[in-house]
Amino acid sequence: MNSIYGYSGNSYGSPEKQLNAYKNMHWASIAVDRIYQAVMNQDFYFEDKKGNIWMGTYGDGLIKYNPETAGGKDFTFFTEDDGLSSGIITSITQDRNGNMWMATDGGGACKYDGNSFTQYSEESGLTSNSLNAVLEDKSGNIWFGTF
C-alpha cells in the first residue's frame, strides 16, 4: 500500500478540521477549514498518477490538492464557472491518457484534460444525467453508472 487518505473534523474529536495522509510510511495532516463544508458529507477522493488528490463535493464542485507544492497547501477549486456541468460530483477516475473523468448528479459527465472541461450529457448520448459511478476498463472504455 502506497497511500491512505482520510478526512477528520471536529465531530470526530480532533482539534481542527484536517486532511490526513499516510504516505511513504509517514503520517501528515494539514488544516483544511476552507474546504471543510465542501467535503464534510462526501467520500469521493481519488489519487491521480501524479499524486494529486481530487475531491468531489456535494454542490461546491471539484477540489484538486497537490501535497508536493506550496508546503502542502496547494488547493485548486473547480466550479461550474470553470466548465463543470454540475457542482455535485459523485465519482472520479483517471483514464490511461491522464484525463480526469467526473460523474455528476444532474449534469452528466465531465472530462478534464488538464486545461479545460468537456461535458457529456443525455444530449451527447448518455442514458441519464444523474450518474453515480465512472471507471475505465482494461480496454480503455469509460463506463458510467446511473442512479
Side-chain angles (χ1 to χ4, degrees), residues 123-145:
E123 293 176 3
S124 307
L126 292 176
T127 59
S128 174
N129 283 335
S130 294
L131 306 175
N132 66 354
V134 58
L135 63 86
E136 179 183 32
D137 68 18
K138 65 181 180 179
S139 298
N141 299 304
I142 304 297
W143 293 86
F144 297 99

Side-chain angles (χ1 to χ4, degrees), residues 5-19:
Y5 291 89
Y7 179 78
S8 63
N10 287 341
S11 61
Y12 300 106
S14 68
E16 67 180 351
K17 301 156 192 89
Q18 57 193 4
L19 180 68

Side-chain angles (χ1 to χ4, degrees), residues 45-120:
Y45 303 95
F46 184 87
E47 182 175 4
D48 69 18
K49 296 170 187 170
K50 295 180 180 178
N52 297 306
I53 306 301
W54 297 79
M55 297 169 267
T57 72
Y58 191 81
D60 293 313
L62 183 67
I63 302 167
K64 180 178 121 178
Y65 168 61
N66 183 340
E68 303 299 324
T69 62
K73 298 186 182 202
D74 185 12
F75 291 89
T76 304
F77 295 79
F78 299 98
T79 67
E80 291 168 90
D81 291 339
D82 299 304
L84 278 174
S85 56
S86 170
I88 303 173
I89 309 298
T90 56
S91 184
I92 305 167
T93 197
Q94 185 175 35
D95 68 23
R96 61 183 61 187
N97 297 317
N99 298 306
M100 299 303 300
W101 289 85
M102 283 67 59
T104 75
D105 185 7
C110 286
K111 177 178 78 171
Y112 182 65
D113 65 7
N115 296 306
S116 62
F117 289 92
T118 302
Q119 299 179 8
Y120 301 91

